[in-house]
Amino acid sequence: MLLENPHSYRDPRTDGVMERALTRIRREEIFSHTGLQFMPINTLYQVLALREQNSPLLEMAETF
């Protein structure tokens, strides 16, 4: 079941989230776990944006 309407990857919710994440954890560590390029549209930064906004969706979701 969908918990909310999807957002475009260009949605401003994630503006600056990648940069804030990189102040908390090193690029090398993120890359060693994900193997992905560093792009603000990555799911990691969308989930972090939800966390920063204290979104109830993270508690409601059973899976991603």
Side-chain angles (χ1 to χ4, degrees):
M1 177 182 282
L2 196 61
L3 297 178
E4 82 174 356
N5 288 328
H7 294 272
S8 166
Y9 71 94
R10 293 177 188 228
D11 187 87
R13 298 172 311 132
T14 57
D15 288 351
V17 175
M18 183 176 77
E19 291 78 12
R20 289 193 298 278
L22 293 173
T23 66
R24 299 167 74 179
I25 188 167
R26 296 178 311 119
R27 284 179 171 263
E28 295 81 12
E29 188 164 350
I30 292 173
F31 185 78
S32 73
H33 290 283
T34 66
L36 298 175
Q37 296 179 22
F38 288 87
M39 301 175 66
I41 63 171
N42 289 348
T43 303
L44 171 65
Y45 309 117
Q46 295 188 31
V47 173
L48 183 55
L50 289 173
R51 184 173 177 202
E52 289 180 349
Q53 298 162 4
N54 294 316
S55 174
L57 295 177
L58 295 174
E59 294 295 323
M60 296 167 58
E62 291 180 21
T63 62
F64 286 99

